[in-house]
Amino acid sequence: MDTSTGMLWVLLLATGLFLRAAISLHSYSGANRPPMYGDFEAQRHWQEVTVNLPLGDWYRNTSDNDLQYWGLDYPPLTAYHSYLVGLWACRWHKESFVALHTSRGISTDEHKQFMRNTVLLVDAVLYLPAILYATYTVWKRMANGAAKPHREIDWLSPALAALFPGQILIDNGHFQYNNVSLALCALAVVAIIERRTLAGAILFCLALNYKQMELYHALPFFFHLLRNCFTTDDNSSTPGQRVLMGVRKLTVLGATVLLTFIILWLPWLSSLDALGQLVHRIFPVARGVFEDKVSNVWCVVNVFVKLRNIPNTTMALVCLLCTLMAVLPSGLHLLLQKTPTARSFLYSLTVTALGFFLFSFQVHEKSILLATLPATLLLPLEPLVSCWFLQVATFSMLPLLHKDGLTGAFVALTIISLALLRTADGSQGLQSSNKNQKSTYDVLHLRRLLPVGIPGHPTGSILLVLFYLSLLGQMLLLGAFLCLTPPAHLPFLYPLLISAYSCGHFVLFYLYFNYRQFCNFGTVDANKLPSKISLKEKVK
């Protein structure tokens, strides 16, 4: 890494932490709203449970662990993290923060500061370094390929990744620890791109064992790793030898994944009842197909067909079938392509995460963050569309953010992210080539962020017009949501309109990213994943 890149990282790290600290001064989920108090209390309560109860009772309903009051429903790594934070609270702060039963709903300024700092610590130590490293690695890989990324994205890509409003507003505003699982997944992507398959598998297992929603990314990892097991650069080997080598690689990979799970789940493996309870808590079918006004297909369909009247088990099967139909083509393309590429892997991650968000069972508004991670890493190849997607993803969570008192923070961070686009300076070549193509309506100077070969094409102008129309629609819906009173018989009209508007965008993004993954099917470029270096090449 050169000095300028290092200085950029330091600047982005400082700016990212400053903005996160500023958002931390705002309200949060469930503030002063008994009896459940929201996600802030859920995270605190898990610290209370894990610190005070035996490990075997963490997921079990007991007299001291009422699962109806924010029972632990994330995998073991989240529980271990809650335990460590709870110990920190007990030993270096106040035991009252996690006192059994009596700490429920605690809302002192000292405790709020402690909780906010736990998220900022993860941002500083894990999330921001991981996301900056991931964007740097992807940029470096794409810069050496046939599909050259835009020069201005060498700083804009990490800037947008580090300052993405959606993640800041949910983790540092609403209050969650999505930064842990997202960081682990980003590092897993880097390991896969660099062909460190076992490290990538372990990192992704850790992400999946922190939040089960990382299943949104699981299929691309599965298909890519399976493809890698039976891919070899040794053309002298016979088909039989290749199969044997592939089986050996697959066995080692499977053993690594299994061992990682066994280590994390070990305390519950001694009893089928304890194991079954853990799985039941992680996958709660009884909760229903979606929550609140989430921007996916089922929420829109529910306007016309009341899905909550259909048994949850039936809907779960319908959702499973629809999700598989939506994501399998992308995964099979990843498995069957002639040469594995970093490009197709990133597109498949985005397509699959979007497919899960649009069609899967039990989806939260916040789950869109899982699709924004690979879209962020695609910024070098899709600067405009990825920025557009990130913008709509944040907007789709507006009803939730408004409920948490974060509307002002949402507007401020959105303006900052749009200002970043406006100030991106292209290279002299790009500027001169687009000098006569500037449009009066292109106030953010986005034409230079169009995919390579499109700026001078009519398609480029169409994309720009659609972007600005989309932004205008968001502004109008925001104004109506904040200023207009909905009809008495339609109290949730504006949240539903925001969800439907965002869902329409997500469907189009899903189709676009599918097209972009498949349009170069079979091509071989320098973006292909690096092969292992032979001993002779090392000596050279």
Side-chain angles (χ1 to χ4, degrees):
M1 184 189 300
D2 54 35
T3 304
S4 61
T5 302
M7 292 299 296
L8 175 65
W9 279 33
V10 172
L11 176 62
L12 290 177
L13 185 64
T15 306
L17 288 175
F18 172 78
L19 289 178
R20 285 166 170 80
I23 298 303
S24 297
L25 299 175
H26 289 70
S27 181
Y28 52 85
S29 171
N32 303 316
R33 290 202 299 268
M36 298 299 287
Y37 297 101
D39 278 357
F40 183 92
E41 169 64 10
Q43 302 290 338
R44 188 216 59 80
H45 181 64
W46 295 346
Q47 298 164 23
E48 171 194 341
V49 168
T50 53
V51 166
N52 291 286
L53 301 183
L55 191 146
D57 289 343
W58 287 1
Y59 292 93
R60 190 187 305 277
N61 195 66
T62 67
S63 58
D64 289 325
N65 186 20
D66 180 8
L67 295 182
Q68 297 302 311
Y69 184 81
W70 295 122
L72 189 59
D73 55 5
Y74 281 162
L77 197 55
T78 289
Y80 300 145
H81 178 217
S82 298
Y83 176 72
L84 292 176
V85 176
L87 285 181
W88 180 13
C90 283
R91 298 186 180 182
W92 285 278
H93 290 274
K94 290 184 177 180
E95 291 186 8
S96 60
F97 289 179
V98 290
L100 192 63
H101 302 311
T102 60
S103 59
R104 290 189 179 185
I106 185 173
S107 58
T108 64
D109 290 339
E110 188 179 3
H111 178 255
K112 293 176 187 176
Q113 184 180 20
F114 166 74
M115 292 290 282
R116 292 299 199 185
N117 287 340
T118 61
V119 181
L120 285 171
L121 179 64
V122 176
D123 284 326
V125 174
L126 181 61
Y127 178 76
L128 285 172
I131 201 68
L132 289 173
Y133 178 53
T135 53
Y136 173 76
T137 302
V138 172
W139 163 263
K140 184 173 63 174
R141 177 69 53 211
M142 299 304 171
N144 294 328
K148 297 291 185 182
H150 293 264
R151 185 180 183 277
E152 60 266 35
I153 306 302
D154 62 357
W155 73 264
L156 185 59
S157 175
L160 290 171
L163 308 180
F164 170 49
Q167 186 270 331
I168 297 175
L169 289 166
I170 293 301
D171 282 2
N172 303 96
H174 174 87
F175 198 89
Q176 281 195 333
Y177 295 98
N178 295 289
N179 46 10
V180 177
S181 58
L182 292 176
L184 291 171
C185 184
L187 292 175
V189 171
V190 171
I192 295 300
I193 290 176
E194 295 297 320
R195 208 165 183 179
R196 299 168 186 168
T197 54
L198 293 182
I202 292 172
L203 285 165
F204 184 70
C205 286
L206 293 177
L208 185 59
N209 275 280
Y210 192 88
K211 284 202 171 184
Q212 63 270 36
M213 286 79 76
E214 279 296 332
L215 284 170
Y216 282 36
H217 299 137
L219 284 179
F221 274 93
F222 170 76
F223 283 119
H224 187 85
L225 289 173
L226 180 61
R227 175 72 172 80
N228 180 73
C229 286
F230 294 93
T231 301
T232 179
D233 298 314
D234 184 9
N235 296 324
S236 61
S237 58
T238 65
Q241 290 174 327
R242 294 177 186 176
V243 171
L244 288 176
M245 290 173 60
V247 171
R248 185 176 63 183
K249 287 182 182 179
L250 186 60
T251 301
V252 173
L253 178 63
T256 302
V257 171
L258 185 60
L259 181 61
T260 304
F261 269 82
I262 288 175
I263 292 173
L264 293 173
W265 289 57
L266 189 59
W268 295 273
L269 294 180
S270 59
S271 167
L272 286 178
D273 178 64
L275 182 62
Q277 180 64 18
L278 195 161
V279 173
H280 173 71
R281 292 298 301 165
I282 292 175
F283 300 104
V285 177
R287 287 187 179 180
V289 63
F290 61 86
E291 293 192 10
D292 293 330
K293 298 296 182 288
V294 63
S295 301
N296 76 345
V297 169
W298 303 122
C299 185
V300 176
V301 170
N302 190 66
V303 176
F304 308 99
V305 180
K306 297 305 176 185
L307 300 179
R308 296 190 185 278
N309 296 332
I310 301 175
N312 284 333
T313 52
T314 302
M315 276 307 305
L317 291 174
V318 171
C319 291
L320 176 62
L321 179 61
C322 292
T323 303
L324 289 176
M325 291 175 62
V327 303
L328 278 181
S330 174
L332 291 176
H333 167 262
L334 204 59
L335 177 65
L336 300 176
Q337 61 184 331
K338 184 178 180 181
T339 303
T341 66
R343 174 189 179 280
S344 57
F345 179 58
L346 291 174
Y347 275 111
S348 184
L349 282 171
T350 310
V351 168
T352 305
L354 262 175
F356 267 84
F357 180 83
L358 288 170
F359 298 104
S360 64
F361 188 84
Q362 207 0 252
V363 176
H364 297 258
E365 308 99 309
K366 305 177 286 289
S367 299
I368 193 60
L369 294 180
L370 293 158
T372 62
L373 175 65
T376 300
L377 300 181
L378 270 176
L379 276 165
L381 290 180
E382 298 286 352
L384 178 63
V385 177
S386 290
C387 291
W388 188 358
F389 175 66
L390 296 179
Q391 165 66 31
V392 177
T394 306
F395 176 75
S396 71
M397 298 184 287
L398 177 59
L400 173 67
L401 299 173
H402 180 73
K403 184 168 62 176
D404 294 338
L406 296 168
T407 307
F410 159 77
V411 173
L413 290 180
T414 299
I415 291 174
I416 290 173
S417 63
L418 291 176
L420 284 173
L421 297 179
R422 176 66 176 79
T423 56
D425 291 324
S427 65
Q428 294 299 318
L430 278 173
Q431 289 176 345
S432 60
S433 65
N434 295 334
K435 189 173 182 180
N436 299 323
Q437 299 172 3
K438 291 183 179 178
S439 306
T440 55
Y441 60 84
D442 189 13
V443 294
L444 298 178
H445 296 181
L446 299 178
R447 184 174 289 275
R448 60 197 165 193
L449 300 183
L450 290 167
V452 176
I454 290 183
H457 194 274
T459 305
S461 298
I462 294 174
L463 282 175
L464 289 179
V465 171
L466 290 176
F467 175 88
Y468 285 109
L469 288 176
S470 170
L471 198 58
L472 177 61
Q474 294 174 51
M475 294 169 63
L476 292 175
L477 282 173
L478 174 62
F481 179 67
L482 296 178
C483 303
L484 300 181
T485 303
H489 64 288
L490 296 172
F492 301 108
L493 174 63
Y494 297 123
L496 181 59
L497 287 176
I498 290 172
S499 296
Y501 186 76
S502 302
C503 178
H505 280 76
F506 294 150
V507 170
L508 293 176
F509 284 127
Y510 163 80
L511 295 174
Y512 175 83
F513 286 125
N514 259 296
Y515 168 74
R516 292 289 286 173
Q517 179 183 348
F518 281 90
C519 67
N520 287 339
F521 182 82
T523 60
V524 179
D525 58 34
N527 292 329
K528 65 182 179 180
L529 298 182
S531 58
K532 294 182 179 178
I533 301 174
S534 66
L535 180 61
K536 182 185 292 187
E537 290 171 322
K538 287 182 179 180
V539 172
K540 285 184 179 181

